[in-house]
Amino acid sequence: MRVLVVGSGGREHALVSVIAASPLCLEVHAAPGNPGIALVGKCHPVAVDDIEAQIALARDLKVDLVVIGPEVPLVLGLADQLRHIGIPVFGPSAAAARVEGSKAFTKDLLESAGIDTAKAFAVTSFAEAQDAIRQLGGRCVVKADGLAAGKGVVVCDDAAEAERAAEELLGGSLGGAGATLVIEERMDGPELSVLALCDGEAAVPLPSARDYKRIGEGGTGPNTGGMGAISPAPGVSDEQAQQIVETVHKPLLRELLKRGIHFSGCLYAGLMLTATGPRVLEFNVRFGDPETEAVLPRLGEDLLPFLLACANGTLVDGTLRTIPGAAVTVVLASRGYPISSESGTPISGVAEAGRERDVAVFQAGTAIAGGQLVTAGGRVLAVTARGADGEAAQAAAYAAAAKISFDGMQLRRDIGSDAQG
Ligand code: AMP
Ligand code: GLY
């Protein structure tokens, strides 16, 4: 098979790596890819949001499967257009991608499907926002309805803070993404990501993971795209993850079907393990980043036939064999991240770190300048190590990360521990 992966992050590097290792794979391509991906496959300089150029590339390469990494091309309908011209694609339609693209739409789906989630109100004016905040007792979470690259969520301690957040978002601090707000009950507990390969009503869970979202140790400071991950999520058994797919993913898939929407791709549930059980925080319609970098190295069987089954509409319920133990992924970010980032800073030690047993260094924001690997974005590298348990994986990931350096490099020292994400 000839496979094209759309995207350029650590997630896509992990996907390209497992696809390239499949006995079914003849060639793997990426668009646009990155220097790490270029070591495993062929990269093509096509932006992820240039839908026409992505389609032309898939056609020219005569690929047998396109795997779409990020949400933007999904929301723009890349999967629909590829399907329309008969190219098998792993990734949901634009209609199904609304599960990630609109929080208000998703709240409505959750309610209809009877899936446990925070009580919420969708509002479009400050007066409505004030009313919702009052009804929730002040301690609540204010969210922009649209896509906001992780910046659209404000977790508030009291009514004054919530009103300030609502005023800013409604005032256009994030542009159109904040025209509608979702204001919801604030929940407490550790977080968990459960990703499943889905097609219609069928779902195959991937091993669970925890994402460490804040820039600072102990879950402090601003939200980021994710500073690291561990799989499995501490204290979560495979049986529990399977149970979540039965009580969360499958009812959502059925509710979508009732509304005429066939979901095909990776459905990612972000949950909070509250005192009353797992409750949904959000859904994404794609593989998580950095969860994917921790989850895929734990697979004990070939992922490609499952991706293809989703694309061809032949997926059946089941499970994937996993490698026992755990994997920890530590993200190395550039100075200033998540507020700003630096580019062009030389990076050393990537090859040395990657030579360690059970270690993989996935590249994200990197480029080649004058024959040297340099930084090119906020999240630069994702260093993954497998171990017999979480502690062993953590020690191995940090030992590998210690071999890598670049000026201004930032990392959290508590990835994989029980600390807050
Ligand atoms: P989201 O993009 O909706 O997942 O929100 C980003 C982060 O905000 C989550 O990972 C949680 O840490 C936090 N968060 C979102 N909704 C809630 C909630 N209802 N209660 C507590 N924390 C929340
Ligand atoms: N790790 C969070 C995300 O991929 O959205």
Side-chain angles (χ1 to χ4, degrees):
M1 282 175 63
R2 211 173 260 125
V3 183
L4 171 64
V5 175
V6 176
S8 64
R11 163 183 57 204
E12 287 77 18
H13 191 176
L15 281 164
V16 165
S17 301
V18 297
I19 291 168
S22 166
L24 294 176
C25 179
L26 176 69
E27 271 173 26
V28 56
H29 297 261
N34 67 38
I37 294 175
L39 301 173
V40 221
K42 182 158 176 24
C43 296
H44 304 267
V46 175
V48 297
D49 60 354
D50 190 342
I51 303 303
E52 268 173 37
Q54 290 284 357
I55 291 166
L57 178 66
R59 212 184 232 150
D60 291 350
L61 292 171
K62 298 195 166 50
V63 294
D64 303 293
L65 176 68
V66 178
V67 179
I68 303 175
E71 63 272 32
V72 168
L74 294 168
V75 170
L76 292 175
L78 178 57
D80 305 75
Q81 294 202 42
L82 287 167
R83 272 188 202 106
H84 186 69
I85 58 169
I87 298 179
V89 53
F90 181 87
S93 64
R98 277 189 77 206
V99 171
E100 173 165 354
S102 167
K103 292 189 190 289
F105 172 67
T106 303
K107 274 289 170 193
D108 184 54
L109 284 170
L110 285 166
E111 213 161 275
S112 308
I115 301 168
D116 200 354
T117 186
K119 182 171 179 194
F121 300 88
V123 306
T124 53
S125 73
F126 187 61
E128 284 175 330
Q130 277 181 310
D131 191 43
I133 293 165
R134 206 171 25 245
Q135 289 199 50
L136 292 169
R139 193 172 179 274
C140 64
V141 182
V142 179
K143 301 183 175 186
D145 178 53
L147 286 177
K151 299 192 178 84
V153 176
V154 190
V155 180
C156 306
D157 287 324
D158 55 42
E161 194 183 353
E163 287 189 6
R164 250 191 331 271
E167 198 167 14
E168 268 178 32
L169 289 169
L170 286 167
S173 62
L174 289 176
T180 297
L181 302 182
V182 172
I183 300 186
E184 67 181 38
E185 171 196 352
R186 181 168 163 188
M187 305 184 289
D188 293 293
E191 287 179 41
L192 167 72
S193 305
V194 179
L195 284 62
L197 308 173
C198 298
D199 174 50
E201 281 195 58
V204 175
L206 293 169
S208 73
R210 172 164 304 149
D211 174 19
Y212 295 75
K213 287 198 169 87
R214 305 293 189 100
I215 188 75
E217 278 146 30
T220 53
N223 252 328
T224 70
M227 290 300 289
I230 183 169
S231 173
V236 178
S237 66
D238 288 350
E239 292 69 38
Q240 257 174 302
Q242 177 80 50
Q243 189 59 31
I244 286 168
V245 170
E246 294 299 327
T247 56
V248 172
H249 295 68
K250 294 188 119 195
L252 189 90
L253 292 171
R254 286 193 292 268
E255 181 61 32
L256 282 168
L257 280 174
K258 265 195 212 158
R259 299 184 188 203
I261 299 171
H262 178 113
F263 186 100
S264 178
C266 180
L267 181 61
Y268 162 146
L271 304 128
M272 205 164 243
L273 294 171
T274 73
T276 59
R279 302 180 72 193
V280 172
L281 282 169
E282 62 159 351
F283 283 105
N284 294 314
V285 296
R286 51 174 176 79
F287 289 101
D289 192 347
E291 288 95 327
T292 302
E293 292 95 303
V295 163
L296 296 190
R298 293 195 55 225
L299 295 185
E301 69 182 295
D302 191 357
L303 184 68
L304 190 50
F306 289 87
L307 300 178
L308 195 63
C310 287
N312 290 336
T314 55
L315 188 78
V316 290
D317 284 348
T319 50
L320 276 158
R321 264 197 311 282
T322 53
I323 298 171
V328 165
T329 300
V330 178
V331 169
L332 308 181
S334 78
R335 179 162 33 225
Y337 183 73
I339 313 297
S340 61
S341 66
E342 288 183 353
S343 290
T345 307
I347 306 169
S348 66
V350 169
E352 292 84 328
R355 272 198 288 274
E356 295 291 316
R357 213 173 138 246
D358 287 334
V359 169
V361 181
F362 299 115
Q363 298 192 24
T366 59
I368 302 280
Q372 156 81 47
L373 189 68
V374 299
T375 63
R379 291 193 291 176
V380 177
L381 300 165
V383 181
T384 297
R386 267 195 313 254
D389 57 23
E391 259 172 51
Q394 187 180 36
Y398 281 108
K403 296 188 190 307
I404 299 174
S405 67
F406 55 88
D407 187 40
M409 182 170 108
Q410 300 190 64
L411 73 164
R412 271 181 68 163
R413 296 271 165 204
D414 60 349
I415 305 300
S417 70
D418 262 352
Q420 279 298 310

